[in-house]
Amino acid sequence: MAGAHCEVNKCARAIKEDHISPGPTYHFCTLLESYDRCVKATAKGCRGILEFHSVSSLVINWQLRFNCSEVIARGPPPSTPVPHLRRPTALPGCSYRGLHQGHLNFSHCALFGDPHLRTFHNDFQTCQLTGAWPLIANPFLAVQVTNEPVMPGSTVTATTRVTVIIREHHLCTKEKTYEARMDSLPSTFVDGTRTGGPDRGVRIREEDPGRHVEIHARHLAARIVLRRVGRYLTFAAKLPTDLAATGMRQAATDGTLELCNQGCPIPERINYHQALSGSGGEEWVAVYGRKGPSALPLRDCQAICRQHNLTGAYYDACLFDLLTTGDISFSEAARDALKDVLNLYPSLALINRTFSSNNQVAAAAVVVTAAGPGRPEILPSVLLLMYLLVAYFLGPT
């Protein structure tokens, strides 16, 4: 019977739980946007239900009344305080202890820039992924990204959409879906809620409204970091190694592709070792993404990447992105990607360079000169080592 499975009331309950006063504010308008998505998702089971059509009209009227399209386009006010939910006591069985109840080891995966992929196995690749691709696909968690060309006719792409699905756990949470787009980084799941599970063990933390959110799943010991940098999105995740490995086992069974475990398919990989090992200088010609001179002079690209204290593969990624696109925000994406790995898993930050250091471009990246005359030169690797020592003795934050 039509309407037998109508769940529009769930959307209404979700918006009431957030206790945000109606008005032309960024937080209320983004909540309305999530509410609208939730209502539309119930449309199939709600045909002919008067309440569904009333709610749909109400949401549209609120969005028009508070001019939400312009409010969201302006972005959050810089002084907006970041709400942090008080964490309740975890339910028994909803704190991850490992699939084999042993000592937990963790793995890290990230995607940023043009895009650059760091797999759970610490392989660093640059890919030309166009369209939708699965980053993580296992029985507990799924992450899919969509990439689009950064310029018409370019083989270089960047991430414009990220979808995160936390699978249902009979005790700890119902299935939760989060969607980020290049013009929107919501503070709620698509159903309008900020948490999942009776102990709120699944939750969204809005670290910087519209620019940086984190999804935590206590029953998986998983942490996912999503950022909007310039026009594009970045992704980083920390998962228990045994949980991350379930994707490999599933791939062996049904052929599922999972970029965080298997890396990009070979035909999709960009050999930017070749691009960055050229002679350099003003006449440097990008192998990928452009026809003719680089988007920015090599020296300018090097200076910009050094300003962000980038090292190793993150410096290489920054350099490649600037040379092929000229978009300064890609250097900020590389900076944030390095920041995320330092926060999520500091010992992984000392990754080897992605190509031989015996060429002109690599040599130019080895030393960063401190500002001011007569100041000594500081190796970025030394700075990283100092950071790691401090992190080790102070313990995890």
Side-chain angles (χ1 to χ4, degrees), residues 211-251:
R211 296 181 180 88
H212 175 192
V213 301
E214 298 193 6
I215 301 173
H216 296 245
R218 188 189 304 128
H219 69 292
L220 303 177
R223 181 178 169 191
I224 295 172
V225 180
L226 299 169
R227 297 179 185 267
R228 185 161 64 95
V229 186
R231 299 175 54 230
Y232 300 106
L233 303 171
T234 70
F235 164 88
K238 177 183 178 182
L239 268 65
T241 299
D242 58 353
L243 190 153
T246 61
M248 287 292 284
R249 292 194 289 273
Q250 183 167 313

Side-chain angles (χ1 to χ4, degrees), residues 19-98:
H19 304 295
I20 297 178
S21 300
T25 64
Y26 179 82
H27 280 110
F28 184 70
C29 284
T30 53
L31 185 61
L32 274 183
E33 189 179 55
S34 298
Y35 191 18
D36 185 43
R37 289 199 301 270
C38 179
V39 171
K40 288 177 180 176
T42 68
K44 186 175 180 180
C46 295
R47 291 175 185 150
I49 302 299
L50 180 61
E51 184 180 5
F52 167 77
H53 296 288
S54 298
V55 169
S56 299
S57 299
L58 179 62
V59 173
I60 294 171
N61 289 337
W62 273 350
Q63 288 176 317
L64 293 174
R65 176 184 174 188
F66 297 124
N67 202 15
C68 281
S69 59
E70 290 190 14
V71 171
I72 292 176
R74 287 197 299 268
S79 59
T80 301
V82 178
H84 283 259
L85 296 170
R86 184 177 60 83
R87 200 157 139 191
T89 304
L91 288 176
C94 288
S95 290
Y96 192 78
R97 295 289 183 265

